[in-house]
């Protein structure tokens, strides 16, 4: 999560040219109308999520970061990233990015055999194999599916109709979705999902507060930042 670049425009001598230049500037940077029929709900849910993140999740992230050494956090991050290989591979294939899918496979194998089961990023650190993180929302966008209107999900945060649809595919391609056995019986590996979420948050526990600290309109900031980031990922 997470972004804005401020462009400094230098005026020219000719007044006529300045007028034309200003017109082009206004057209380029004019506020775009966003179809946002759920804005009332989205704002309420954004406030709920903001309170939950600041006063529940961030303290958990900071406490975990204080207890768990940075190297251990990095190993846990690498492990969970590695086991999500099926999701990345499938979506690279679906986007016809066969070279990227091949590199994801090489990286997965390298991390399993050289990186001690994925605890260390041998693919990146040793073999310099690039990562190609793709999901079903990006795949839909790659093939021209529009984002639809914004939707803020409880706890999960900012999204849109396309990415919510993509979550269905992400769910079934996520190895943590499938059931494992414990003393109670078979159930999805929710504990590992929670552990992964907490560990990811602990890598940058102050990121949310730093990113949103000076925003005048939190909802619009998060909405626009999310769309810009997702569009950039789709174009990669």
């Amino acid at each position: 999560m997470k972004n804005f670049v401020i462009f400094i425009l230098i005026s020219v001598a000719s007044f006529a040219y300045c007028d034309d230049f200003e017109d082009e500037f206004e057209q380029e940077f004019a506020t775009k109308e966003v179809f946002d029929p759920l804005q009332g709900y989205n704002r309420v849910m954004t406030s709920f999520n903001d309170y939950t993140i600041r006063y529940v999740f961030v303290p958990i992230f900071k406490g975990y970061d204080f207890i768990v050494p940075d190297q251990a956090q990095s190993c846990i991050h690498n492990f969970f990233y590695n086991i999500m290989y099926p999701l990345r591979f499938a979506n690279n294939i679906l986007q016809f990015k066969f070279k990227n899918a091949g590199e994801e496979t090489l990286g997965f194998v390298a991390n399993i055999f050289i990186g001690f089961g994925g605890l260390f990023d041998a693919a990146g650190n040793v073999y310099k194999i690039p990562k190609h993180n793709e999901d079903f929302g990006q795949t839909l966008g790659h093939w021209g599916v529009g984002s639809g209107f914004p939707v803020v999900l409880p706890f999960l945060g900012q999204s849109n109709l396309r990415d919510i649809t993509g979550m269905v595919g992400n769910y079934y391609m996520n190895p943590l979705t499938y059931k494992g056995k414990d003393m109670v019986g078979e159930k999805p590996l929710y504990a590992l999902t929670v552990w992964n979420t907490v560990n990811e948050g602990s890598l940058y526990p102050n990121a949310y507060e730093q990113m949103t600290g000076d925003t005048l309109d939190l909802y619009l900031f998060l909405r626009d930042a999310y769309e810009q980031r997702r569009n950039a990922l789709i174009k990669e």
Side-chain angles (χ1 to χ4, degrees):
M1 272 128 203
K2 60 251 214 31
N3 289 335
F4 296 96
V5 178
I6 301 175
F7 294 97
I8 301 176
L9 302 175
I10 302 177
S11 61
V12 294
S14 170
F15 290 105
Y17 183 80
C18 281
D19 292 338
D20 293 338
F21 193 79
E22 289 175 1
D23 291 341
E24 292 178 4
F25 173 81
E26 291 176 358
Q27 292 175 7
E28 179 69 18
F29 292 95
T31 302
K32 295 181 180 179
E33 287 291 330
V34 175
F35 180 57
D36 193 357
L38 299 181
Q39 184 168 159
Y41 156 82
N42 287 339
R43 287 184 176 277
V44 171
M45 189 54 62
T46 295
S47 297
F48 169 79
N49 287 342
D50 179 64
Y51 184 89
T52 304
I53 292 171
R54 291 183 187 278
Y55 299 108
V56 179
F57 291 142
V58 169
I60 291 174
F61 296 157
K62 290 181 178 179
Y64 182 94
D65 181 50
F66 179 78
I67 295 171
V68 181
D70 291 347
Q71 185 60 50
Q73 293 177 40
S74 179
C75 288
I76 294 167
H77 164 79
N78 293 335
F79 172 79
F80 281 111
Y81 181 87
N82 209 51
I83 65 175
M84 294 301 292
Y85 158 75
L87 176 64
R88 299 191 300 275
F89 177 80
N91 281 283
N92 276 291
I93 290 293
L94 290 173
Q95 296 179 39
F96 295 169
K97 297 178 179 178
F98 301 116
K99 179 177 180 292
N100 293 357
E103 290 177 340
E104 279 293 325
T105 301
L106 289 175
F108 174 75
V109 172
N111 288 335
I112 289 293
F113 291 101
I114 309 299
F116 296 94
L119 292 177
F120 298 96
D121 184 17
N125 295 332
V126 178
Y127 299 106
K128 309 303 180 184
I129 300 173
K131 294 179 172 65
H132 307 285
N133 203 354
E134 302 284 349
D135 58 40
F136 280 96
Q138 289 168 251
T139 296
L140 292 174
H142 176 81
W143 292 111
V145 177
S147 62
F149 53 79
V151 182
V152 180
L153 301 174
F155 304 111
L156 298 179
Q158 192 69 44
S159 189
N160 55 46
L161 284 183
R162 180 194 59 223
D163 289 347
I164 290 175
T165 303
M167 286 179 182
V168 177
N170 295 341
Y171 177 84
Y172 285 105
M173 290 300 297
N174 184 347
L176 300 181
T177 297
Y178 296 94
K179 297 179 179 179
K181 291 184 178 181
D182 59 13
M183 295 179 63
V184 178
E186 291 191 353
K187 60 182 180 180
L189 303 176
Y190 294 130
L192 290 180
T193 301
V194 173
W195 186 19
N196 181 32
T197 301
V198 173
N199 189 76
E200 288 297 305
S202 73
L203 296 175
Y204 305 100
N206 298 313
Y208 180 80
E209 294 172 320
Q210 292 173 351
M211 180 181 69
T212 61
D214 297 326
T215 56
L216 298 178
D217 190 320
L218 180 62
Y219 169 63
L220 292 184
F221 171 77
L222 294 177
R223 183 194 71 183
D224 295 344
Y226 178 85
E227 291 297 329
Q228 289 177 21
R229 177 176 178 274
R230 293 297 288 175
N231 289 337
L233 291 174
I234 290 168
K235 291 176 181 179
E236 287 183 351

